[in-house]
């Protein structure tokens, strides 16, 4: 149980890095490479994050774990179908906000599974750093793979751990 909570925190950090940076590279590739698009994406991510922090239901995180990558693929479909249309920045921003909600909803969900917040943040941040390094390598050598497969591949371990967690009673884990 403690190992599962630790793995979930790490896998979530990894998935969030893959998702967030896939959005940034998606905007770079299909919309604009201006710094303002990066800041708009960050703005929408933070709005989603703040909204997700306020979701206290234990069901919010698993639902968003399924919804966040779908939102990314909606944004990918729209931008790849209609590239370089700045009018798409707002709808894509909505997709980014939905994905950002996953990050926010994770912390109330995971806080009930850890006795110490320090451990939760350590494992989630370590996953995010590994994801950031993976994104760097993928963007240099396999950019198309990053855009098309990274969000789904990143969320797969999170989904597996959530399914496994449903078979055990929730409670605090001394991680």
């Amino acid at each position: 149980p403690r190992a599962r909570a630790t793995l979930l925190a790490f896998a979530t950090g990894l998935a969030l890095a893959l998702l967030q940076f896939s959005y940034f590279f998606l905007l770079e590739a299909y919309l604009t490479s201006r710094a303002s698009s990066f800041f708009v994406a960050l703005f929408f991510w933070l709005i989603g994050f703040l909204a997700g922090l306020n979701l206290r239901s234990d069901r919010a995180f698993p639902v968003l774990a399924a919804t966040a990558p779908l939102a990314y693929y909606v944004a990918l479909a729209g931008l790849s179908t209609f590239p370089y249309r700045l009018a798409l920045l707002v709808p894509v921003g909505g997709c980014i906000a939905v994905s950002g909600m996953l990050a926010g909803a994770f912390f109330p969900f995971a806080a009930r599974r850890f006795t110490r917040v320090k451990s939760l943040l350590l494992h989630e941040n370590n996953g995010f750093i590994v994801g950031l390094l993976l994104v760097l390598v993928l963007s240099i050598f396999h950019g198309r793979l990053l855009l098309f497969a990274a969000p789904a591949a990143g969320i797969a371990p999170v989904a597996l751990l959530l399914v496994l967690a449903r078979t055990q009673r929730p409670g605090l884990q001394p991680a």
Side-chain angles (χ1 to χ4, degrees), residues 20-76:
Q20 187 177 55
F21 285 94
S22 292
Y23 270 119
F24 295 148
F25 286 114
L26 178 66
L27 292 176
E28 289 282 321
Y30 288 106
L31 193 62
T32 178
S33 59
R34 294 174 45 191
S36 60
S37 65
F38 170 80
F39 290 116
V40 168
L42 187 59
F43 170 78
F44 281 110
W45 184 272
L46 291 175
I47 293 295
F49 176 80
L50 292 174
L53 277 175
N54 291 301
L55 300 174
R56 300 291 178 197
S57 168
D58 242 8
R59 301 178 105 195
F61 179 71
V63 167
L64 286 166
T67 307
L70 290 176
Y72 172 82
Y73 288 109
V74 166
L76 174 64

Side-chain angles (χ1 to χ4, degrees), residues 45-118:
W45 184 272
L46 291 175
I47 293 295
F49 176 80
L50 292 174
L53 277 175
N54 291 301
L55 300 174
R56 300 291 178 197
S57 168
D58 242 8
R59 301 178 105 195
F61 179 71
V63 167
L64 286 166
T67 307
L70 290 176
Y72 172 82
Y73 288 109
V74 166
L76 174 64
L79 288 174
S80 61
T81 303
F82 303 106
Y84 312 114
R85 306 254 171 98
L86 284 176
L88 289 178
L89 191 55
V90 172
V92 168
C95 292
I96 294 169
V98 168
S99 296
M101 287 173 68
L102 175 66
F106 170 68
F107 291 102
F109 177 85
R112 294 187 277 278
R113 288 151 178 81
F114 282 83
T115 55
R116 295 174 31 209
V117 173
K118 182 169 77 170

